[in-house]
Amino acid sequence: MVYDAYMRQKSDFTSTAVLDTLASLGARIRRARRARKLSLTDLEQRTRIHRSTLGRLELGDAGVSIGVFLTVLESLQELSDIALLVSHPETPRHLRVAPPPELDQDF
């Protein structure tokens, strides 16, 4: 995709992992919007964010603010899912204790 190549060149300071994640999140937002049968213009009216910015968000543009991202998630009634990303901010991931695996009692 031409836009993808443009974004990678424009965001040389941003890692490939971040750019790939942004593209994935943008695609998921697009699918959520379409599943609700909303056009970019409809979403623009709901969020008061210009449709060109919404389009950039859906394409994974690293320059779109987190505020825009969260506003769109709220409008699509998906904001509660963001809590999963920050479920234990006080404990670094590598220090979190995983629950013990369930033992197979069938032996």
Side-chain angles (χ1 to χ4, degrees):
M1 171 182 251
V2 173
Y3 187 80
D4 185 50
Y6 167 74
M7 283 310 301
R8 289 186 190 280
Q9 182 181 20
K10 181 179 174 191
S11 302
D12 287 338
F13 62 91
T14 305
S15 73
T16 301
V18 169
L19 292 173
D20 290 345
T21 301
L22 287 169
S24 177
L25 290 171
R28 292 179 72 187
I29 287 173
R30 176 182 287 126
R31 285 194 303 272
R33 175 181 59 80
R34 288 180 174 171
R36 290 160 179 76
K37 302 200 183 319
L38 296 172
S39 67
L40 282 175
T41 301
D42 296 331
L43 193 56
E44 175 184 37
Q45 291 172 350
R46 285 183 175 202
T47 62
R48 299 178 62 171
I49 297 168
H50 196 274
R51 66 184 172 277
S52 67
T53 302
L54 297 171
R56 288 177 37 230
L57 173 69
E58 290 184 356
L59 290 171
D61 185 334
V64 176
S65 77
I66 189 72
V68 168
F69 178 72
L70 294 175
T71 299
V72 170
L73 287 177
E74 180 182 41
S75 178
L76 296 172
Q77 299 177 340
E78 299 289 345
L79 187 59
S80 61
D81 290 345
I82 206 74
L84 296 173
L85 296 174
V86 290
S87 59
H88 299 286
E90 67 283 354
T91 307
R93 182 180 304 271
H94 71 282
L95 296 178
R96 293 182 201 154
V97 177
E102 290 187 28
L103 298 175
D104 184 7
Q105 300 294 328
D106 186 29
F107 51 91

